[in-house]
Amino acid sequence: MMQRQFLVCIRSLLMRDALFVQASIDRKSQIRKYHQTAPTMFYKRFMNREGKKALKKKEEEDSEIDAKLVEDKVQGLEKVSKIPYKIRVATYEGTADRFLNRIFKQVEESGEKSEKSFNTAIKIYKLNAGLYMRGHIEFGDLALSKLEEYELQYNLEVYKMIFSIFPEGKYLPKSKIDAEFVPFPRQQDAALKVLSKMMDNGVIPDEEFGRMIISRFSQRSKVFARYMRMLYWMPKFKYMNPWPVPRPPPKDPIQLAVMALKRMSFDIQTKITVVNNSQDGDSASEKFIASAQSPKQIDLLSKHGPSKPIIVEGEHYVYLRKIQQKVFFLKTDPEKEIMSDDPDYYKAMEDKEDEELFDFTTPMSEEEQTAIVPKKSVHEQEDGTVYAMCITSDSSKESIQDWIQFLQTSNPALQHIPVLFRIRDADFLLNETIKQEEEE
Amino acid sequence: MKFTSTNFRNLKMFKASVRRLFLQSLRQTAHFREGLETPTGSLQRLKFYSTQTPVKDASGTAVSEKEAEETRIKKKLPSSNTPFIRELFLGRFTKEMLQFPEMTKEELENLNQMVQPIEKFFNEGLDSKSIDVNAKIPDEVLQSLKDLGLFGQQIPEEYGGLGLNATEFARLAEITALDGSIAVTLAAHQSIGLKGILIAGNAEQKSRYLPKLATGEHVAAFCLTEPSSGSDAASIQTRATLSDDGKTFLLNGGKIWISNGGIADIFTVFAKTKVLVDGVEKDKVTAFVVEREFGGITSGKPEDKLGIRGSNTCEVHFDNTPVPIENVLGEVGGGFKVAMNILNSGRFSMGSSGAGILKKLIGMTCEHAVSRKQFGSPLSEFGLIQEKFAKMTITTYAMESMAYMTAGVLDLYEKADVSLEAAIVKVFSSEGCWTCVNECLQILGGLGYMKDYPYERYLRDGRILMIFEGTNEILRLFIALEGMKAAGKELKDAVKVARNPWKNPSVAWSMYKKALDRKFRSNKSEQGIALRKPNNSKLLLMDILHNTFKNESLLLEGCTEAFQKVVEHLLITHGKEIVSAQMDLAKVADIVIDLYAMTACLSRANRSYCLGLQNADHEITITKAFCKDAAKRIDRNLKEIYSGPVENNSENYEHIAQTVFKHGGYAAAHPLDRMW
């Protein structure tokens, strides 16, 4: 009996050893595979060893083969076939970058910069890169840098397209421990670059993107961790801004001006009117005045006596993400300067409050009731009452004068009130300071 | 009451209880107040039920004495009452209110005689459905209403009216309310339309207009609401300008939603006039009596409404209508007071109207619940249905008690101040009416939803009660603010001290201790703040009430005490900002409403039980149930007020509402929206 148990023990030990051996063999073979598939590092090292002369001969042979291959494959693709292209693929040209650049150049030559042509470029690369997807990290970087040019930086599908150039199943870690040591760091970095770009542009990855990452780098990769973090945080911040600027932001200056004014007007009833000077639809050269005023402001302005002047104050800056605009305000000077260190002022206020404590009259007992009184509107601030604001196309003094004239139509009271211009010209100020500095 | 001497282990307790029983029995018999020196002098003026013993009536001299006494009371009404609600805000309980007002035997007999034909007419001779469908009250019906004298109920007899006092008027309103359209038409005519002439008119105006209005030859309307001013009556835009000769005013402007606007001949119109106040010209509201014959008056087409469809509601426009200066009601510039007096005096009857509707509906629903069988047993055997019926009954009882108590106080004094009480009755009864009719419909199930049956009409008609004659929201503010003002004026100095803790550290420290005490006590005890019964009763309410209500009287006392404390607390925490703490004010109003309802129920049930009216034990159960419910509600409201805006959610409500306004509607994302 004992003997038998002993035998079983030994056998199991042996079996475990055998498994161990098997595993190590597996790993070795895979490592070998890694060397075969490792793209550019290997390729560059190889290039350095061979020397330039030897390359030239190979290049011509390769290019002929590859070009044929590509043409055969591409003809089957409907989308791609529409764009005429001829690729003289020089795989082993001086650097990989030049080869990759050429793809985009050729695509751009044959068509405009659009999502379609961008996709074509990626397809061409995929077809060209061959079995080993040579230079796909460089190509990824390049494609990312081209995104702004093509105005595709807010398009999730394009990011997926770029991400698809990473080969499936090649960069998976062998085990949990392997995963901890970050295998294929360069490839993972390249993939992280794609995700970073998405984050910068506020593009939230979806489930399919996650699947793509898992099939390429596995769940235990840095890439997937970043993806999860993005999925956690980005949706939380997506609607954080109560005055969202659309992606991409509009190019029309009028739209931008209206958007900025809307953001600044806290009164819900504010009406924004745009006065257009030119007739033709060319929005870039158009002259306009966008003016914001609410009924409450009109009411306040009508109560402003003609004795005190109104001030046009500017220019103040307002930003919509990175777009700067100049705003002008029509407002009053502060009514009374409150001296914070004047104790009598506050004491008088307190005494008055104490005296009037509970002296209110309710709405159903007295005609002039004091219980329900309207609150001070948002327009009446400590530093003066704001009556209107505007953004003009060129922020010139003439345009502001036009604006005042325009306001006079809806605010007849404004005709009798003197308007002072307190405009500080940013360029003028800048020049002044430069002069001063030079003098010094 | 069951007790045996074995229950009392010590002699002292036994003695005390015997004394108590003795006193109690005395209280129920005749000679308590008269024989003993009355402990509360204020009670003398009230008729005391127990004094109406047949002993006196037996002899003829006693009767004549009684009559003489009655006439004396009638002639010399005390000028004004102590305003119950305003006093309540200061923690003072006017105990006279626990004596439910009574009518004399003759008055009651007269009233019952008057009621009979009217009740018959409303129960038999009226096709409310066709009135509702055709949106018009037929002329014959109006004529028969006029013949019954219903168009001049409160007009004195010398002008050809019925000369009813408030209680009698409330009793009739109970019946006329059975048809919403007729009730509103009548109310618009006499509760508000011609009330101005009654209250503020001079002798000439009265003799000129009242006779024709009393017979119904002329119909009156009340023109206050304008497109730009609803609850805010002082902001009306209609103008009256004095002509050059100073004899006529020219009226210009438009009024909307005027009941009887299309059929009225006499309008009580409110318009702004220029008045010199301390040498400065100001726009002030003035009331006018305007006849249609003056010219320049056009009425729009009748509005199509949800309920009270038979009543005539339309726009009325005044275009340079000349009004002679004699037709100004009250003073020039004193119109706002007139308007508010009219509205205040009309509100109390809504309690009895609501009770009238509900009593009929409960009867009809009861029939259904008894006869309708589901799962083999009638609905009346289901606990859930029983609960509904009980709650409806309680609400109706409270409504009725409040309405008649308020009316009784109105009758007892020459210039009774019941504006707050009337507002309370209006708020409680309009909301109670809505919820109870709603429950009735629920009990009736599908039947209630069908247009073939009258139930849904009551629901539609009842909805207006919460809207007109001052919306319930503004009335709540009115109740709470008026009370707060009264309390604030008296407690002003104390509040000032309490609001300045750095100058008065000792006060601050004692307040802090009190707050701590309140917090721990409310945490420890299962019972809440209000439900705590006082150990030594200061108000001695149970001395007035029957011993059956010992518990309830203690509850009422506890609530009154707690209420006074919460008023103080609010005044101290908010200071002058109290006017804008609307959510707290609404809770205060709710507490006061419950307190008033409790008082009314207790005093009525007490009377019924002491006199031994029919089903008096039923009334006792109702009152006990109501007091318990009310105390719970009061307790919840108190806790919410003490817990502050964060705990009681009012801050959240504010934020939510602000977001909704900012986004111009419902701002939450759709539940099916996706992020990526």
Side-chain angles (χ1 to χ4, degrees):
Chain A
M1 191 68 185
M2 284 286 286
Q3 201 178 11
R4 188 159 183 185
Q5 271 185 357
F6 182 69
L7 276 171
V8 168
C9 276
I10 285 177
R11 191 182 294 161
S12 65
L13 275 172
L14 282 172
M15 284 293 279
R16 194 173 287 170
D17 272 357
L19 277 172
F20 232 79
V21 171
Q22 189 63 41
S24 64
I25 290 165
D26 276 358
R27 190 170 297 167
K28 266 177 196 165
S29 66
Q30 274 166 7
I31 286 164
R32 217 185 302 130
K33 265 186 206 164
Y34 161 65
H35 281 297
Q36 283 170 357
T37 53
T40 43
M41 293 282 283
F42 182 74
Y43 163 56
K44 273 181 183 169
R45 248 180 266 141
F46 170 78
M47 266 187 14
N48 289 340
R49 243 188 281 142
E50 291 279 310
K52 284 177 185 174
K53 284 176 187 173
L55 272 174
K56 274 189 182 176
K57 285 177 189 171
K58 262 203 170 178
E59 176 195 303
E60 283 169 15
E61 291 170 22
D62 276 15
S63 67
E64 276 176 27
I65 301 160
D66 281 357
K68 270 183 189 174
L69 242 168
V70 169
E71 265 177 74
D72 290 343
K73 283 186 181 175
V74 163
Q75 270 166 9
L77 293 167
E78 273 186 2
K79 283 180 189 172
V80 183
S81 64
K82 279 177 190 169
I83 300 160
Y85 60 89
K86 283 169 193 166
I87 310 167
R88 198 170 61 78
V89 188
T91 329
Y92 301 123
E93 205 176 300
T95 58
D97 292 348
R98 280 170 71 186
F99 151 64
L100 297 170
N101 267 324
R102 192 162 292 163
I103 296 179
F104 276 104
K105 260 184 204 166
Q106 289 200 352
V107 170
E108 280 158 24
E109 270 171 24
S110 54
E112 57 182 24
K113 291 178 178 178
S114 66
E115 192 184 344
K116 208 172 172 185
S117 54
F118 194 87
N119 285 351
T120 320
I122 291 174
K123 272 175 189 160
I124 292 168
Y125 167 74
K126 275 189 185 171
L127 294 169
N128 266 301
L131 181 62
Y132 305 127
M133 298 289 274
R134 280 187 187 118
H136 69 278
I137 290 176
E138 284 80 356
F139 185 75
D141 287 356
L142 187 70
L144 285 180
S145 69
K146 292 269 178 192
L147 277 175
E148 273 89 8
E149 227 175 273
Y150 279 72
E151 289 175 4
L152 294 170
Q153 68 267 45
Y154 304 113
N155 195 336
L156 177 63
E157 293 306 313
V158 172
Y159 285 102
K160 279 187 196 165
M161 198 76 185
I162 296 170
F163 202 83
S164 68
I165 59 174
F166 293 98
E168 264 180 279
K170 300 289 184 192
Y171 304 140
L172 296 170
K174 306 298 171 299
S175 66
K176 282 181 191 177
I177 295 164
D178 189 20
E180 280 304 300
F181 289 101
V182 192
F184 314 109
R186 236 196 120 194
Q187 283 73 14
Q188 287 208 25
D189 280 354
L192 282 176
K193 267 184 201 167
V194 179
L195 286 174
S196 302
K197 188 84 176 179
M198 287 169 76
M199 202 159 76
D200 293 347
N201 292 313
V203 181
I204 303 174
D206 59 358
E207 284 95 339
E208 198 196 333
F209 209 102
R211 265 178 256 124
M212 284 167 79
I213 294 172
I214 290 170
S215 66
R216 283 163 176 80
F217 295 101
S218 92
Q219 261 175 331
R220 293 176 184 281
S221 59
K222 293 279 165 199
V223 189
F224 195 76
R226 166 64 74 84
Y227 162 79
M228 292 300 279
R229 268 169 218 150
M230 279 167 75
L231 222 52
Y232 180 78
W233 284 110
M234 289 184 71
K236 285 184 174 45
F237 293 128
K238 189 171 179 188
Y239 294 118
M240 208 64 168
N241 190 348
W243 304 277
V245 183
R247 293 170 192 272
K251 281 177 184 168
D252 183 11
I254 293 179
Q255 265 188 42
L256 282 170
V258 169
M259 219 184 264
L261 287 176
K262 239 181 214 168
R263 172 184 284 206
M264 280 188 293
S265 41
F266 275 79
D267 193 338
I268 309 159
Q269 286 180 301
T270 304
K271 261 189 182 173
I272 295 168
T273 30
V274 181
V275 183
N276 253 340
N277 289 5
S278 66
Q279 261 84 52
D280 49 336
D282 187 16
S283 62
S285 64
E286 211 169 10
K287 279 196 169 182
F288 68 88
I289 301 168
S291 159
Q293 198 180 30
S294 73
K296 179 72 193 171
Q297 282 171 314
I298 293 176
D299 186 38
L300 285 169
L301 186 55
S302 69
K303 282 173 189 162
H304 184 104
S307 56
K308 279 185 292 175
I310 301 183
I311 296 143
V312 175
E313 209 183 80
E315 53 200 39
H316 294 291
Y317 299 120
V318 59
Y319 288 88
L320 294 177
R321 277 211 201 98
K322 289 172 184 174
I323 304 153
Q324 185 202 53
Q325 293 176 83
K326 291 164 186 171
V327 192
F328 296 88
F329 295 106
L330 187 71
K331 62 183 283 257
T332 60
D333 266 341
E335 284 224 335
K336 188 179 171 190
E337 289 240 346
I338 300 166
M339 304 298 281
S340 56
D341 45 312
D342 179 10
D344 289 345
Y345 178 79
Y346 289 110
K347 198 163 180 285
M349 257 178 38
E350 271 175 26
D351 286 351
K352 202 186 162 202
E353 251 178 44
D354 265 10
E355 266 177 39
E356 288 173 358
L357 198 65
F358 307 130
D359 269 355
F360 56 84
T361 50
T362 54
M364 307 197 78
S365 61
E366 291 289 326
E367 189 169 347
E368 280 151 23
Q369 54 94 14
T370 53
I372 305 172
V373 281
K375 279 181 192 164
K376 247 190 179 181
S377 66
V378 281
H379 311 294
E380 295 154 274
Q381 296 293 330
E382 270 189 0
D383 60 339
T385 310
V386 180
Y387 293 133
M389 53 191 171
C390 85
I391 294 175
T392 62
S393 50
D394 53 356
S395 331
S396 63
K397 199 170 177 182
E398 295 78 54
S399 68
I400 302 302
Q401 277 165 347
D402 288 347
W403 174 50
I404 297 296
Q405 269 187 5
F406 161 74
L407 280 182
Q408 279 171 357
T409 57
S410 53
N411 302 278
L414 198 57
Q415 286 166 352
H416 310 294
I417 307 169
V419 179
L420 294 180
F421 284 76
R422 198 181 286 166
I423 296 170
R424 64 155 195 245
D425 189 354
D427 295 336
F428 176 74
L429 282 175
L430 191 71
N431 290 333
E432 286 291 293
T433 45
I434 290 167
K435 270 181 197 171
Q436 276 182 8
E437 276 168 11
E438 277 172 357
E439 279 169 16
E440 280 166 10
Chain B
M1 174 159 285
K2 278 190 280 178
F3 77 90
T4 51
S5 59
T6 50
N7 286 4
F8 299 88
R9 294 231 173 123
N10 80 47
L11 193 67
K12 211 177 168 188
M13 263 178 83
F14 178 71
K15 271 185 181 171
S17 69
V18 166
R19 193 167 150 265
R20 188 160 198 89
L21 266 177
F22 174 65
L23 281 175
Q24 185 194 322
S25 62
L26 265 183
R27 225 173 284 137
Q28 288 165 55
T29 50
H31 311 291
F32 178 58
R33 295 290 173 203
E34 288 165 1
L36 298 167
E37 281 297 315
T38 44
T40 46
S42 53
L43 282 169
Q44 283 167 350
R45 57 144 196 90
L46 266 173
K47 288 168 271 180
F48 199 65
Y49 327 116
S50 39
T51 58
Q52 293 163 352
T53 44
V55 185
K56 277 193 173 177
D57 281 22
S59 64
T61 52
V63 173
S64 67
E65 255 181 45
K66 199 182 164 193
E67 272 178 8
E69 196 185 295
E70 269 172 27
T71 47
R72 202 192 70 226
I73 290 170
K74 263 198 174 176
K75 272 177 191 168
K76 276 183 82 182
L77 286 173
S79 66
S80 186
N81 58 336
T82 42
F84 177 66
I85 299 298
R86 281 175 221 265
E87 291 286 297
L88 212 57
F89 274 80
L90 287 157
R92 295 188 214 124
F93 193 95
T94 316
K95 288 192 216 172
E96 298 147 39
M97 292 302 264
L98 285 175
Q99 310 288 342
F100 200 73
E102 252 186 352
M103 293 179 91
T104 58
K105 202 176 174 185
E106 284 164 35
E107 277 173 346
L108 188 64
E109 274 170 5
N110 282 341
L111 180 62
N112 283 341
Q113 273 178 4
M114 200 189 302
V115 162
Q116 272 172 7
I118 299 170
E119 211 158 31
K120 196 182 167 197
F121 174 74
F122 271 87
N123 284 334
E124 292 164 19
L126 204 59
D127 186 5
S128 294
K129 196 190 164 190
S130 73
I131 290 177
D132 186 57
V133 172
N134 300 330
K136 193 179 184 325
I137 304 173
D139 290 340
E140 315 89 74
V141 176
L142 276 180
Q143 193 50 49
S144 46
L145 287 173
K146 286 169 187 170
D147 293 344
L148 284 166
L150 292 178
F151 272 68
Q153 290 174 35
Q154 281 196 295
I155 297 174
E157 282 165 15
E158 60 204 88
Y159 298 114
L162 294 178
L164 303 182
N165 63 16
T167 313
E168 289 157 343
F169 178 68
R171 177 72 183 93
L172 289 199
E174 209 175 294
I175 305 160
T176 52
L178 294 179
D179 186 288
S181 306
I182 289 176
V184 169
T185 307
L186 286 177
H189 170 71
Q190 59 192 352
S191 281
I192 49 177
L194 61 82
K195 207 56 165 289
I197 304 175
L198 271 181
I199 292 176
N202 51 33
E204 197 189 323
Q205 287 165 348
K206 280 183 183 172
S207 58
R208 186 168 172 200
Y209 292 113
L210 288 182
K212 284 191 175 177
L213 288 168
T215 54
E217 195 180 332
H218 280 171
V219 177
F222 181 78
C223 303
L224 180 63
T225 310
E226 286 182 16
S228 63
S229 76
S231 295
D232 184 9
S235 69
I236 53 173
Q237 304 274 323
T238 303
R239 292 212 73 86
T241 40
L242 197 61
S243 62
D244 296 333
D245 57 356
K247 281 180 182 171
T248 48
F249 278 99
L250 287 180
L251 264 184
N252 275 302
K255 302 280 184 181
I256 55 162
W257 305 331
I258 304 304
S259 303
N260 293 354
I263 57 172
D265 308 284
I266 312 285
F267 299 88
T268 308
V269 186
F270 296 87
K272 286 257 168 121
T273 46
K274 279 186 179 158
V275 184
L276 275 177
V277 183
D278 305 332
V280 189
E281 236 180 34
K282 269 190 177 175
D283 281 347
K284 291 208 119 191
V285 181
T286 305
F288 300 94
V289 183
V290 183
E291 297 172 30
R292 197 181 273 276
E293 285 169 9
F294 288 168
I297 302 176
T298 45
S299 0
K301 71 171 203 304
E303 308 274 354
D304 198 8
K305 305 185 287 289
L306 173 75
I308 52 165
R309 290 169 53 80
S311 69
N312 178 294
T313 306
C314 61
E315 292 176 14
V316 177
H317 287 279
F318 300 95
D319 184 26
N320 277 328
T321 307
V323 185
I325 201 160
E326 299 91 64
N327 277 29
V328 172
L329 273 179
E331 297 169 14
V332 175
F336 188 81
K337 276 261 148 65
V338 174
M340 289 306 129
N341 282 339
I342 292 171
L343 290 173
N344 282 340
S345 66
R347 278 187 196 116
F348 73 92
S349 69
M350 208 176 282
S352 64
S353 316
I357 296 170
L358 285 180
K359 279 197 263 183
K360 176 150 194 193
L361 258 184
I362 288 174
M364 293 198 284
T365 323
C366 180
E367 252 173 54
H368 174 79
V370 173
S371 57
R372 166 98 173 163
K373 281 189 175 180
Q374 285 295 295
F375 306 108
S377 55
L379 290 186
S380 57
E381 282 178 18
F382 291 96
L384 282 177
I385 303 295
Q386 284 167 357
E387 190 189 339
K388 284 190 206 298
F389 269 103
K391 279 187 178 163
M392 288 192 309
T393 314
I394 290 170
T395 314
T396 314
Y397 186 80
M399 207 183 279
E400 212 177 30
S401 317
M402 284 160 91
Y404 281 101
M405 190 154 95
T406 315
V409 175
L410 258 175
D411 289 340
L412 270 173
Y413 299 96
E414 208 157 342
K415 279 185 178 173
D417 177 11
V418 288
S419 54
L420 291 189
E421 285 83 348
I424 285 173
V425 172
K426 196 259 170 182
V427 173
F428 183 85
S429 54
S430 57
E431 276 167 20
C433 203
W434 174 249
T435 46
C436 291
V437 175
N438 189 24
E439 287 288 21
C440 274
L441 253 73
Q442 189 64 27
I443 295 165
L444 291 159
L447 221 62
Y449 203 66
M450 297 300 135
K451 279 222 163 186
D452 284 344
Y453 297 92
Y455 312 113
E456 56 88 34
R457 198 185 70 237
Y458 282 113
L459 189 83
R460 286 190 283 116
D461 287 354
R463 190 62 185 83
I464 192 65
L465 295 177
M466 295 200 273
I467 300 167
F468 69 2
E469 294 205 28
T471 61
N472 283 6
E473 282 68 30
I474 200 80
L475 282 179
R476 277 207 166 87
L477 284 188
F478 170 63
I479 295 163
L481 279 175
E482 276 291 313
M484 283 292 184
K485 190 183 160 187
K489 276 196 175 154
E490 199 154 320
L491 300 172
K492 199 170 168 178
D493 294 324
V495 171
K496 263 187 217 166
V497 170
R499 278 180 70 76
N500 209 339
W502 297 112
K503 275 186 190 167
N504 312 290
S506 61
V507 177
W509 174 244
S510 67
M511 270 170 64
Y512 176 69
K513 274 204 297 192
K514 258 190 208 170
L516 271 187
D517 187 34
R518 194 167 52 223
K519 193 174 178 188
F520 288 118
R521 197 174 55 211
S522 64
N523 278 353
K524 264 185 207 165
S525 63
E526 285 174 24
Q527 286 179 330
I529 306 157
L531 286 174
R532 188 180 62 87
K533 286 166 200 155
N535 296 330
N536 47 351
S537 162
K538 280 178 209 158
L539 295 173
L540 291 167
L541 295 185
M542 61 237 220
D543 274 12
I544 303 167
L545 295 171
H546 190 271
N547 205 26
T548 332
F549 294 118
K550 190 190 163 197
N551 230 359
E552 282 67 33
S553 67
L554 285 173
L555 262 185
L556 182 58
E557 201 171 328
C559 288
T560 315
E561 234 172 70
F563 175 63
Q564 197 269 328
K565 274 179 193 159
V566 92
V567 166
E568 228 176 271
H569 167 84
L570 279 178
L571 286 174
I572 290 168
T573 42
H574 292 293
K576 69 167 186 158
E577 296 295 316
I578 187 76
V579 289
S580 50
Q582 294 197 349
M583 289 187 213
D584 278 348
L585 287 176
K587 277 163 202 149
V588 167
D590 282 340
I591 295 174
V592 168
I593 289 168
D594 273 330
L595 278 176
Y596 190 57
M598 263 165 104
T599 313
C601 283
L602 274 173
S603 76
R604 178 180 166 193
N606 187 49
R607 171 180 177 268
S608 305
Y609 191 57
C610 288
L611 293 179
L613 290 184
Q614 204 185 354
N615 292 336
D617 54 335
H618 178 58
E619 285 186 38
I620 284 182
T621 334
I622 290 176
T623 305
K624 287 192 166 182
F626 180 81
C627 285
K628 222 167 235 180
D629 275 351
K632 271 183 205 161
R633 281 195 296 268
I634 290 172
D635 184 47
R636 207 186 59 230
N637 276 326
L638 287 172
K639 268 182 189 158
E640 289 204 341
I641 292 174
Y642 277 125
S643 57
V646 179
E647 283 282 299
N648 72 16
N649 238 352
S650 53
E651 201 186 50
N652 282 345
Y653 295 146
E654 228 177 282
H655 284 310
I656 291 167
Q658 275 166 6
T659 317
V660 169
F661 295 139
K662 209 169 96 189
H663 290 263
Y666 183 70
H670 194 271
L672 299 179
D673 274 0
R674 276 180 67 91
M675 201 62 193
W676 62 83

